[in-house]
Amino acid sequence: MEAPPVTMMPVTGGTINMMEYLLQGSVLDHSLESLIHRLRGLCDNMEPETFLDHEMVFLLKGQQASPFVLRARRSMDRAGAPWHLRYLGQPEVGDKNRHALVRNCVDIATSENLTDFLMEMGFRMDHEFVAKGHLFRKGIMKIMVYKIFRILVPGSTDSTEALSLSYLVELSVVAPAGQDMVSDDMRNFAEQLKPLVHLEKIDPKRLM
Amino acid sequence: MPVAEGKSVQQTVELLTRKLEVLGAEKQGTFCVDCETYHTAASTLGSQGQSGKLMYVMHNSEYPLSCFALFENGPCLIADTNFDVLMVKLKGFFQSAKASKIETRGTRYQYCDFLVKVGTVTMGPSARGISVEVEYGPCVVASDCWSLLLEFLQSFLGSHTPGAPAVFGNRHDTVYGPADTMVQYMELFNKIRKQQQVPVAGIR
């Protein structure tokens, strides 16, 4: 047997900050097929991938005005996949020339007892939903076309109801901080999807 | 399936490792298990009306890509190493008790199906105790091999052999996992933290 890895240094700081670059748009149900068709042509050649996820959003209220938000997502159709915990920071302000919404992002894969653990930490669930749709990739870009379903009975994913008559389209990239050409590539790709769907930078704060 | 216990003095580590080498164990590099403590910041307590909880974030070189987070008597979360980055973001809500960072480092031995790790437990610059971990590879259910483990432990620990770890409790027949190892380490570190610093002169 070869020697195993040597002592592991605990991670303290100085890790790379990852940023999520995001463009969003939507299409009505009846336009879905043509959008999928075009995406299949433009994106990397792979088996069409569908997903069915259940996402729960947890809040931790402290003395600060804004609570700390964490998103816990689990796959309902892939047994054995780890749960996905995601932290998204505030969108970066300034730079009007930047074509995409940029925010700090930390992604963590966890074991299944995530919700129990978060409750123990003091988080409380704010809302939950089910997302069902298609996933495409082009290089480092990820394109998701999905429908959001509202959960009628809290805790049970059996009874759901569609939130709208449309599909949400998201083009996102997770890359280390400072790589601004990523948003240029995203805009160029978004141009190719017009006029089927208009992907743009949507500031969440303007919606509140 | 591991067992961890604390003992008396630093030089005993050498005695133990020599005993293991005489038995025929092969040295296989080093290992490290560390533990940081966080407690809920005062600002989050007011709205919840409960006393602050202690959360332990641990790493184990046996599982280099994982991070273990646990509460005493609570759930143990196994996450990937980005969890440390998240803890940095949660600075305002969970404060790290820097002084109580504790770790054990030492050598890893392989003896047939047993994996033995003997380490020195240190808190800051001072050595506080010794940890011995024994893992029996082929078995995943505790009750099936506890007597075998006990016999092996007695062969080199003699009178210091511990009793069955609390982690087994009423779960003797369930599958053992890495989270159970980390709970045992947490209990060991807590025990050592509470002890007074042992004087260097004591040798059996």
Side-chain angles (χ1 to χ4, degrees):
Chain A
M1 242 164 101
E2 331 80 87
V6 186
T7 52
M8 199 197 73
M9 304 306 283
V11 173
T12 43
T15 45
I16 305 168
N17 256 332
M18 296 301 271
M19 308 299 278
E20 185 205 36
Y21 297 79
L22 182 69
L23 283 177
Q24 290 173 309
S26 72
V27 286
L28 292 173
D29 284 351
H30 56 74
S31 311
L32 179 70
E33 276 313 305
S34 15
L35 176 64
I36 302 272
H37 206 72
R38 187 175 289 193
L39 281 170
R40 237 185 242 161
L42 288 171
C43 294
D44 290 347
N45 195 12
M46 36 168 256
E47 280 303 309
E49 215 174 296
T50 56
F51 66 91
L52 179 62
D53 286 350
H54 173 206
E55 180 162 325
M56 290 168 270
V57 180
F58 287 84
L59 296 182
L60 181 61
K61 296 201 171 90
Q63 259 176 7
Q64 293 97 317
S66 57
F68 194 87
V69 182
L70 275 182
R71 295 165 178 275
R73 198 152 175 149
R74 69 174 177 108
S75 172
M76 284 166 63
D77 57 353
R78 282 178 183 75
W83 282 56
H84 179 201
L85 182 64
R86 181 170 243 213
Y87 162 74
L88 288 169
Q90 292 301 320
E92 293 218 338
V93 289
D95 206 0
K96 294 269 163 58
N97 290 336
R98 210 181 274 149
H99 306 293
L101 186 73
V102 185
R103 33 190 198 181
N104 188 212
C105 137
V106 182
D107 288 306
I108 306 148
T110 69
S111 52
E112 287 157 359
N113 51 353
L114 181 60
T115 37
D116 291 336
F117 194 80
L118 286 173
M119 302 286 265
E120 192 78 24
M121 275 174 88
F123 283 84
R124 292 292 170 261
M125 188 173 82
D126 184 61
H127 62 273
E128 55 178 345
F129 59 90
V130 167
K132 178 177 193 314
H134 305 259
L135 177 67
F136 297 89
R137 265 181 269 267
K138 186 167 177 63
I140 54 168
M141 293 193 287
K142 179 168 90 168
I143 301 102
M144 294 198 290
V145 180
Y146 63 99
K147 207 179 215 337
I148 300 179
F149 291 82
R150 182 191 293 132
I151 291 176
L152 299 169
V153 177
S156 150
T157 47
D158 296 324
S159 54
T160 58
E161 154 191 273
L163 203 59
S164 66
L165 296 171
S166 52
Y167 277 74
L168 182 59
V169 185
E170 285 186 346
L171 169 60
S172 63
V173 174
V174 175
Q179 296 201 355
D180 285 334
M181 63 281 262
V182 162
S183 54
D184 290 334
D185 291 339
M186 287 171 75
R187 196 215 22 194
N188 293 339
F189 186 80
E191 289 290 316
Q192 296 184 16
L193 288 176
K194 290 182 179 171
L196 285 175
V197 62
H198 287 269
L199 293 174
E200 44 192 28
K201 176 164 107 172
I202 297 178
D203 187 358
K205 287 205 204 74
R206 275 177 36 218
L207 297 169
M208 309 251 230
Chain B
M1 198 182 76
V3 156
E5 86 160 15
K7 276 172 66 181
S8 51
V9 153
Q10 212 169 336
Q11 288 145 315
T12 328
V13 173
E14 283 181 26
L15 272 149
L16 269 175
T17 52
R18 216 168 297 146
K19 252 191 179 168
L20 281 167
E21 281 168 9
V22 160
L23 259 180
E26 284 167 30
K27 208 185 228 199
Q28 284 205 335
T30 54
F31 82 99
C32 171
V33 176
D34 66 75
C35 172
E36 282 162 22
T37 319
Y38 291 86
H39 53 86
T40 26
S43 53
T44 40
L45 295 177
S47 50
Q48 289 164 31
Q50 40 176 213
S51 55
K53 287 196 202 145
L54 282 178
M55 183 168 93
Y56 302 96
V57 178
M58 307 177 69
H59 303 90
N60 188 343
S61 58
E62 202 66 28
Y63 312 103
L65 299 174
S66 299
C67 193
F68 300 86
L70 38 106
F71 285 94
E72 204 147 0
N73 299 324
C76 174
L77 185 76
I78 306 175
D80 62 27
T81 46
N82 267 345
F83 192 79
D84 294 317
V85 178
L86 185 66
M87 287 314 292
V88 174
K89 305 276 176 207
L90 277 168
K91 248 189 334 215
F93 299 90
F94 285 91
Q95 273 146 13
S96 148
K98 276 281 174 236
S100 59
K101 170 154 178 179
I102 192 167
E103 64 175 22
T104 172
R105 272 177 201 268
T107 340
R108 207 171 170 268
Y109 287 92
Q110 177 90 25
Y111 179 60
C112 301
D113 292 325
F114 292 95
L115 192 58
V116 185
K117 295 180 195 153
V118 180
T120 314
V121 182
T122 51
M123 206 160 129
S126 59
R128 298 290 211 97
I130 298 175
S131 77
V132 178
E133 179 191 331
V134 178
E135 179 177 338
Y136 182 58
C139 185
V140 287
V141 178
S143 54
D144 288 347
C145 63
W146 174 243
S147 24
L148 175 61
L149 256 183
L150 201 56
E151 216 177 292
F152 178 69
L153 284 168
Q154 276 167 349
S155 70
F156 72 97
L157 284 179
S159 57
H160 292 269
T161 311
V167 142
F168 301 152
N170 46 5
R171 300 186 317 126
H172 270 260
D173 297 326
T174 52
V175 175
Y176 187 91
D180 299 313
T181 311
M182 301 320 281
V183 171
Q184 290 187 62
Y185 267 110
M186 177 204 68
E187 288 170 356
L188 172 68
F189 288 155
N190 279 342
K191 198 165 85 167
I192 291 182
R193 237 184 238 134
K194 291 192 187 123
Q195 274 174 353
Q196 292 284 348
Q197 186 152 6
V198 182
V200 186
I203 306 177
R204 329 186 237 119

